[in-house]
Amino acid sequence: MAEVTGSAASIGQKPFSLWVIAGGLVYAALALLAYVVPFLAAIGIGFIAILLLFIILFLVAAFFTLRGRRWAYVLGSVGGIVLTLLFSVNLVTSASNPADSGFWFVMSVLPALFLILVFSILSFINAKPGLMQKRYLATPQSTGGLLTVAVIGFVIGSLVAGAIGAGVILGNTTGVAANIQIVPNAPAVAMAFSPQSFQIPVGGTVTWINKDTMAHTVTSNTTGLFGSSLLTPGASWSHVFAQNGTFYYHCDPHRQMWGVIVVVVS
Ligand SMILES: [Cu+2]
């Protein structure tokens, strides 16, 4: 009984800052896992390996952070920065559209990484004198606690606003008259562009609409012939086909997504 009391007391005695760092790292690891599982079938083994590496790194860093190891939260912070830089383009795309499947991930993981970074730097600087000497590192009843609550509040707020925005964006797409739909879960299905083959007379216009919850492109297989920018969820794009012929196209980020436009002389 005395031992149980003792271990419970030692958990309570860990500095608040280490709980924030470890909690943030565990959240980042679980969020990565939750984000990537639906796309496992559609992404390459190399990409899965990289993400697994980050998940393991975050969990190991969290474990040793709680044991008070300085290298652990340095490792966690550096890992977070590398992850952000590596996927900066994807993060910006996802954050710019609440209907994007990655919106919740960016809006919760980036603030978590921010907290990890701030508390890691402060903990690193104050490790020698001891974290318990600084009130904002030692206890949640401090400016450190206030900052943590503020960041969590920001995350909840942006997720609620995002959920409302996503409904509006996806609701608006029903009014657009498009010839070809980029279907939900497009990278994982056989026919990502529906219809996959579409015929028009010379001079006709084809309109694509993205009904998926992630960004895609319409890109000619013949380089430079035609191509959209990244179409976020709900976005549409049109192209006029002035020449007859058979034009294959694909999605730039997901090469397995393809379709064909057949332009005939009427
Ligand atoms: Cu795509």
Side-chain angles (χ1 to χ4, degrees), residues 134-195:
K134 294 278 190 228
R135 195 172 154 73
Y136 59 84
L137 296 178
T139 166
Q141 283 95 36
S142 64
T143 43
L146 273 179
L147 175 69
T148 307
V149 170
V151 170
I152 292 171
F154 166 80
V155 169
I156 293 171
S158 57
L159 292 185
V160 169
I164 296 165
V168 173
I169 288 166
L170 294 177
N172 283 346
T173 61
T174 48
V176 179
N179 307 107
I180 301 171
Q181 294 192 1
I182 300 173
V183 303
N185 203 20
V189 301
M191 267 188 266
F193 296 97
S194 178

Side-chain angles (χ1 to χ4, degrees), residues 179 198 200-207 238-243 261 263-264:
N179 307 107
F198 188 69
I200 47 153
V202 172
T205 303
V206 179
T207 300
S238 298
H239 182 73
V240 178
F241 287 84
Q243 305 271 299
I261 305 297
V263 186
V264 293

Side-chain angles (χ1 to χ4, degrees), residues 113-253:
L113 292 178
F114 167 76
L115 274 183
I116 291 167
L117 200 61
V118 168
F119 279 100
S120 291
I121 292 169
L122 293 174
S123 301
F124 191 84
I125 294 168
N126 291 290
K128 274 273 159 60
L131 303 184
M132 287 308 195
Q133 303 306 311
K134 294 278 190 228
R135 195 172 154 73
Y136 59 84
L137 296 178
T139 166
Q141 283 95 36
S142 64
T143 43
L146 273 179
L147 175 69
T148 307
V149 170
V151 170
I152 292 171
F154 166 80
V155 169
I156 293 171
S158 57
L159 292 185
V160 169
I164 296 165
V168 173
I169 288 166
L170 294 177
N172 283 346
T173 61
T174 48
V176 179
N179 307 107
I180 301 171
Q181 294 192 1
I182 300 173
V183 303
N185 203 20
V189 301
M191 267 188 266
F193 296 97
S194 178
Q196 195 166 43
S197 176
F198 188 69
Q199 185 173 312
I200 47 153
V202 172
T205 303
V206 179
T207 300
W208 286 262
I209 188 162
N210 185 4
K211 298 237 170 175
D212 196 11
T213 55
M214 62 196 300
H216 300 287
T217 70
V218 173
T219 307
S220 167
N221 284 13
T222 306
T223 310
L225 206 56
F226 60 92
S228 72
S229 56
L230 213 49
L231 302 173
T232 53
S236 57
W237 181 74
S238 298
H239 182 73
V240 178
F241 287 84
Q243 305 271 299
N244 66 305
T246 301
F247 302 99
Y248 284 89
Y249 63 92
H250 61 272
C251 166
D252 236 355

